[in-house]
């Protein structure tokens, strides 16, 4: 009787270990801080790490927030860490949702996925001088190769937009006006030169 109880307890613990998620993984926005000139584009990477030997990432779905008066969303390119997958994103004023679901088998993800990799690279346009965080607001899903949820930690990034000396484009008529002034100066010089020899 006692032996049967021990076997059931061990079986329950093994099943629970299989069904629960791995140690906490980390999702970072990198670089954690950067400074760019107004008018330039700026990019951030969403990086997952600490997956461990027995776990792979099978899906994610999260929202990022940012100050849309400082930066605006331009484009996103997903990484290849989830293999063959369904990828989607949506963007509204100051909010970006990214989600991806791998079609790969659990074994294929475990074999081929690195322990640390980029989930996506996001490009923003700079709109005004100032500072904004790019932050994880809601993580809707973050699952392992079987779809079980991971424990996780996140870290945000900061983008500082500063003013700089940007060349002011010349209007199209300015070169024409300058060439006219040079021609008029040459004609005046020629008249003065001829009047000296008379």
């Amino acid at each position: 009787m006692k032996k049967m109880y021990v076997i059931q307890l061990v079986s329950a613990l093994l099943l629970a270990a299989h069904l629960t998620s791995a140690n906490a993984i980390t999702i970072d926005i990198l670089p954690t801080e950067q400074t760019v000139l107004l008018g330039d584009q700026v990019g951030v990477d969403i990086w997952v790490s600490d997956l461990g030997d027995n776990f792979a990432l099978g899906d994610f779905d999260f929202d990022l927030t940012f100050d849309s008066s400082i930066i605006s969303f331009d484009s996103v390119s997903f990484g290849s860490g989830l293999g063959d997958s369904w990828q989607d994103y949506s963007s509204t004023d100051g909010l970006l949702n990214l989600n991806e679901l791998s079609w790969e088998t659990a074994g294929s993800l475990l074999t081929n996925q690195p322990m640390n990799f980029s989930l996506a690279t996001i490009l923003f346009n700079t709109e005004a001088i100032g500072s904004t965080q790019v932050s994880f607001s809601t993580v809707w899903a973050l699952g392992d190769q079987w779809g079980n949820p991971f424990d996780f930690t996140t870290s945000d990034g900061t983008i500082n937009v500063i003013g700089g000396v940007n060349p002011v484009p010349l209007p199209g008529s300015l070169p024409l006006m300058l060439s006219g002034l040079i021609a008029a100066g040459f004609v005046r010089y020629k008249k003065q030169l001829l009047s000296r020899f008379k």
Side-chain angles (χ1 to χ4, degrees):
M1 181 76 164
K2 196 173 193 181
K3 185 176 181 183
M4 183 62 114
Y5 175 73
V6 170
I7 291 173
Q8 288 175 341
L9 181 62
V10 169
S11 298
L13 289 173
L14 288 173
L15 180 61
H18 175 73
L19 293 177
T20 58
S21 66
N23 293 333
I25 63 173
T26 304
I27 304 177
D28 296 308
I29 296 176
L30 299 174
T32 55
E33 185 167 6
Q34 57 185 315
T35 301
V36 294
L37 290 176
L38 179 61
D40 290 348
Q41 276 197 326
V42 58
V44 297
D45 284 324
I46 311 299
W47 196 264
V48 63
S49 55
D50 305 323
L51 282 166
D53 290 329
N54 298 318
F55 290 92
L57 184 66
D59 64 271
F60 64 85
D61 183 356
F62 49 77
D63 292 339
L64 299 172
T65 57
F66 53 91
D67 185 343
S68 60
S69 67
I70 306 294
I71 58 174
S72 62
F73 171 72
D74 181 76
S75 61
V76 62
S77 5
F78 287 88
S80 59
L82 273 66
D84 187 23
S85 63
W86 176 80
Q87 304 166 343
D88 193 26
Y89 72 92
S90 62
S91 177
T92 58
D93 194 34
L95 178 72
L96 174 64
N97 173 265
L98 298 177
N99 56 80
E100 185 173 6
L101 173 65
S102 178
W103 300 128
E104 302 287 340
T105 64
S108 177
L109 284 173
L110 284 170
T111 302
N112 299 316
Q113 192 177 85
M115 291 184 194
N116 310 303
F117 62 94
S118 174
L119 297 177
T121 299
I122 305 164
L123 287 179
F124 295 98
N125 297 313
T126 54
E127 302 295 336
I129 294 172
S131 183
T132 179
Q133 278 200 314
V134 180
S135 306
F136 290 93
S137 62
T138 306
V139 177
W140 302 103
L142 197 61
D144 67 13
Q145 68 271 27
W146 296 291
N148 298 316
F150 273 111
D151 293 327
F152 61 91
T153 58
T154 62
S155 69
D156 301 332
T158 302
I159 296 173
N160 303 302
V161 181
I162 60 172
V165 180
N166 290 331
V168 177
L170 297 175
S173 60
L174 188 59
L176 183 59
M177 185 177 77
L178 287 175
S179 63
L181 288 172
I182 291 170
F186 179 72
V187 168
R188 185 172 179 207
Y189 171 75
K190 191 174 178 182
K191 281 183 182 181
Q192 285 178 350
L193 191 63
L194 289 175
S195 67
R196 285 185 193 169
F197 291 112
K198 284 186 175 181

